[in-house]
Amino acid sequence: MRTFVNESSEDYLETILILSKRLPVVRAVDIANEMGFKKSSVSVAMKNLRERNHITTTEAGFIYLTEDGQAIAERVLERHEFLTNWLTSMGVPDDIATEDACKLEHVLSSESYDAIKRIAK
């Protein structure tokens, strides 16, 4: 059983994972720029993620996913990519598919998501 992670936390973890693939190090300012949030909002979110042991930070302000944070981020990103591709394959415009996938990735149960994946193949 996985611990409950709210949608906002999942979005932050997913963003950290995406940025970590693009940048040598991830900082709060990078997350703020990517998500369009104020750095102060990101700082509060990073504090919460640190307290839940989803990230670690260095003295220099570099942000790293913990094993748990990485697992959550990878699950959310995989869902996002799959759902976006699935929706676009049915003719949904790219921008709408991306937006809808972002909403669906958080609310679909594992059972429903697995059933969609089976049918889509």
Side-chain angles (χ1 to χ4, degrees), residues 69-115:
Q70 180 85 20
I72 294 165
E74 287 175 354
R75 178 186 56 80
V76 174
L77 182 59
E78 190 271 332
R79 281 176 169 233
H80 182 92
E81 290 172 344
F82 173 82
L83 291 167
T84 299
N85 292 334
W86 179 61
L87 291 168
T88 56
S89 75
M90 293 187 295
V92 177
D94 288 350
D95 58 333
I96 295 171
T98 299
E99 187 177 319
D100 287 347
C102 192
K103 295 172 189 169
L104 288 169
E105 70 193 24
H106 302 290
V107 298
L108 278 176
S109 67
S110 295
E111 294 81 5
S112 293
Y113 178 68
D114 291 343

Side-chain angles (χ1 to χ4, degrees), residues 8-32 34-35 42-43 45-50 53-57 61-66 69-74 76-77:
S8 175
S9 294
E10 287 182 342
D11 284 340
Y12 276 108
L13 293 170
E14 180 184 24
T15 299
I16 294 167
L17 177 61
I18 291 167
L19 289 172
S20 71
K21 293 178 179 190
R22 266 197 338 236
L23 304 172
V25 293
V26 178
R27 300 164 301 148
V29 67
D30 302 317
I31 298 166
E34 183 75 13
M35 298 180 84
V42 172
S43 294
M46 294 306 103
K47 178 180 180 281
N48 291 333
L49 292 174
R50 245 188 342 271
N53 295 314
H54 294 311
I55 65 165
T56 60
T57 54
F62 303 152
I63 299 166
Y64 297 97
L65 294 168
T66 63
Q70 180 85 20
I72 294 165
E74 287 175 354
V76 174
L77 182 59

